[in-house]
Amino acid sequence: GDSVTQMEGPVTLSEEAFLTINCTYTATGYPSLFWYVQYPGEGLQLLLKATKADDKGSNKGFEATYRKETTSFHLEKGSVQVSDSAVYFCALSDKGQGAQKLVFGQGTRLTINP
Amino acid sequence: DAGVTQSPTHLIKTRGQQVTLRCSPKSGHDTVSWYQQALGQGPQFIFQYYEEEERQRGNFPDRFSGHQFPNYSSELNVNALLLGDSALYLCASSPRSGRSNEQFFGPGTRLTVL
């Protein structure tokens, strides 16, 4: 079945450092890809998404590009802030009528030190 | 505009008991999905409800059941609780129509089984 693999955490960086969180997927067909963020004590928030190959999703300085050839959707940010500390989840879903089930990676905990 | 709401926030049960969790979707949304998030893991899809019927189901036993009401709110029921059912239960809502496949998550209900 479909699956998502994320780089192991936790990841600790200093403020203003460059961030990359790797994500690769296995799926039949061409799924939609997502990055969700979970702040302490809260539910998941959609950070960005891409629905087809070579699409780039971006939001709040974060970017990820849908790479079909490498089945990857790596999350990047040029200069992280303390407020970016959270758990980040990569996810995929099949396309279809309405929202299809999401398949998540195991999550990567990010801590940014001032 | 209220987002997705869930109740209760926390719940403690003992093995063998039954539990009911509740979810109200975001205004304008008619589809509700439930996910189980074990500690340190990514969410796992349980099932999805639309038009008061279960439309998709993940790999969960029949002890997990649900219901959707005419006002689109939903309940998740778990019978014969096991220690392994301890987790954060997340509800997500989405619109069935339209091209967006984004799901909006609630804050979750943390269930502890003793």
Side-chain angles (χ1 to χ4, degrees):
Chain A
D2 296 350
S3 66
V4 174
T5 302
Q6 293 181 230
M7 71 185 276
E8 293 278 337
V11 174
T12 302
L13 296 172
S14 298
E15 204 165 22
E16 299 184 2
F18 183 86
L19 168 70
T20 299
I21 300 178
N22 290 337
C23 170
T24 57
Y25 67 90
T26 301
T28 54
Y30 302 102
S32 295
L33 301 175
F34 305 83
W35 277 100
Y36 279 84
V37 59
Q38 187 173 36
Y39 297 102
E42 298 184 13
L44 302 177
Q45 299 177 26
L46 179 65
L47 182 58
L48 52 84
K49 69 176 183 180
T51 58
K52 62 183 187 296
D54 300 325
D55 266 2
K56 177 185 283 188
S58 61
N59 186 27
K60 299 180 181 180
F62 290 90
E63 294 183 340
T65 301
Y66 191 141
R67 301 289 188 197
K68 186 179 69 172
E69 62 277 11
T70 54
T71 61
S72 65
F73 192 55
H74 304 322
L75 182 69
E76 297 182 336
K77 186 175 185 182
S79 177
V80 293
Q81 306 300 312
V82 173
S83 58
D84 293 327
S85 298
V87 181
Y88 292 80
F89 293 94
C90 184
L92 65 80
S93 75
D94 291 331
K95 297 187 180 71
Q97 177 65 32
Q100 303 299 303
K101 70 174 185 180
L102 287 161
V103 176
F104 287 89
Q106 73 271 32
T108 301
R109 181 174 298 277
L110 174 66
T111 301
I112 307 299
N113 294 320
Chain B
D1 173 28
V4 179
T5 60
Q6 293 187 242
S7 64
T9 305
H10 295 88
L11 204 51
I12 299 175
K13 293 285 188 179
T14 56
R15 281 179 297 174
Q17 286 190 311
Q18 177 265 344
V19 68
T20 297
L21 311 182
R22 296 176 176 83
C23 171
S24 291
K26 184 177 169 66
S27 178
H29 288 183
D30 54 9
T31 301
V32 173
S33 301
W34 287 92
Y35 294 83
Q36 180 195 66
Q37 185 180 12
L39 195 63
Q41 301 295 316
Q44 299 286 319
F45 175 75
I46 303 174
F47 42 53
Q48 182 183 84
Y49 276 83
Y50 168 66
E51 288 187 335
E52 301 179 47
E53 290 191 17
E54 184 182 293
R55 300 294 178 172
Q56 299 180 63
R57 189 177 182 93
N59 188 26
F60 279 81
D62 292 345
R63 298 186 297 108
F64 289 77
S65 63
H67 188 76
Q68 186 179 35
F69 299 93
N71 66 353
Y72 309 123
S73 66
S74 176
E75 289 182 348
L76 164 66
N77 301 292
V78 186
N79 294 322
L81 285 167
L82 304 174
L83 296 179
D85 295 332
S86 295
L88 180 68
Y89 288 85
L90 296 166
C91 170
S93 74
S94 53
R96 187 70 175 179
S97 61
R99 301 183 66 178
S100 173
N101 56 358
E102 180 180 347
Q103 296 186 37
F104 290 78
F105 283 82
T109 294
R110 181 155 306 276
L111 172 65
T112 301
V113 183
L114 302 177

